[in-house]
Amino acid sequence: MALALNKSSLKTQRDQLAMYRRYLPSLDLKRQQLFSALKDARAKLEAARKEADALAESLEGLYPLLGSSLAARLDLGSLVRVRAVAIEEENLVGARLPVAREVSIETAPYSTLATPFWVDHLVESLRRMAELKVLLEVSRVRVQRLEVASRRITQRVNLFEKVLIPEAEKNIKRIRIFVSDEERAAVVRSKIAKQKPKR
């Protein structure tokens, strides 16, 4: 669209520049909040991963027992299962983020007298591992959504800082020069017109 070089266009450009400058700080604050939330979400995801890895490593001592003939008669696969997961969404400066409110894990009944002593430890570890797997997935989705939101808000801030504001300033300068040149030319024309002899 061609830029009109007149006073009304100058006012429009000044109004747009004022609006851009008014909204830029709030966009920048939003970007900072999203980056802070992203940093926290990444830290929580990494902590959950480390805990899951440590738990898996602590269970390595049970592997020989799980391969024994006694363990083969036990149905260890159905001991623990996730019954329900309550996932809610929270709004963080416009980004919809999942939050795991409650993870309900069900343990199948088993005889503590008829099973080896290590099954209790295995059941508790499996319960915690199932809970961690759900939390890891929710944290992973949360990090993904925060990354997308952070990228979008950064693009908007850059649009304002690097495109819209400089363009409006350039347009204002261009219109001012043109308008002042026109006013100067009008003054010169009027002086020349006054100096012409009247017939």
Side-chain angles (χ1 to χ4, degrees):
M1 187 173 94
L3 180 66
L5 301 174
N6 54 37
K7 288 186 177 181
S8 65
S9 179
L10 179 64
K11 181 187 180 326
T12 303
Q13 290 293 320
R14 283 182 177 157
D15 291 346
Q16 284 181 347
L17 180 61
M19 181 185 66
Y20 297 153
R21 286 185 173 154
R22 188 172 59 242
Y23 289 129
L24 182 59
S26 65
L27 284 175
D28 197 35
L29 179 64
K30 187 175 179 180
R31 178 178 64 170
Q32 290 171 7
Q33 289 173 332
L34 284 172
F35 278 130
S36 174
L38 179 59
K39 183 180 175 184
D40 292 345
R42 283 180 176 156
K44 286 179 182 174
L45 178 62
E46 189 58 33
R49 275 190 189 137
K50 284 182 181 176
E51 187 179 348
D53 291 344
L55 186 59
E57 196 174 299
S58 73
L59 291 175
E60 285 179 3
L62 293 178
Y63 291 168
L65 298 174
L66 292 173
S68 70
S69 60
L70 179 62
R73 284 182 275 145
L74 297 172
D75 188 15
L76 298 177
S78 63
L79 275 178
V80 175
R81 72 180 184 97
V82 177
R83 187 176 65 209
V85 179
I87 296 178
E88 296 176 3
E89 281 196 344
E90 71 174 346
N91 185 350
L92 180 72
V93 290
R96 308 289 297 168
L97 305 173
V99 179
R101 293 289 179 213
E102 184 182 346
V103 180
S104 178
I105 297 173
E106 191 174 80
T107 304
Y110 64 94
S111 170
T112 54
L113 296 175
T115 56
F117 68 93
W118 49 266
V119 173
D120 293 335
H121 174 65
L122 177 68
V123 167
E124 284 307 310
S125 297
L126 288 174
R127 287 177 63 87
R128 182 63 187 148
M129 187 61 85
E131 186 178 339
L132 280 172
K133 291 291 183 182
V134 170
L135 294 177
L136 273 169
E137 183 59 26
V138 170
S139 295
R140 190 187 60 73
V141 171
R142 189 176 177 92
V143 166
Q144 279 181 335
R145 289 185 185 178
L146 280 168
E147 285 172 345
V148 169
S150 297
R151 196 168 32 253
R152 276 195 194 130
I153 197 69
T154 300
Q155 288 171 346
R156 286 185 187 145
V157 168
N158 287 341
L159 175 68
F160 274 72
E161 283 181 343
K162 297 183 170 119
V163 177
L164 295 176
I165 290 176
E167 188 177 299
E169 288 172 341
K170 184 182 84 173
N171 289 342
I172 289 170
K173 184 176 179 183
R174 187 172 158 206
I175 293 169
R176 272 188 180 155
I177 290 171
F178 183 81
V179 169
S180 66
D181 286 349
E182 285 293 312
E183 287 174 353
R184 204 172 300 113
V187 168
V188 169
R189 280 194 301 272
S190 69
K191 284 185 179 182
I192 291 173
K194 284 181 184 177
Q195 290 175 354
K196 282 190 178 180
K198 293 183 180 178
R199 294 187 194 183

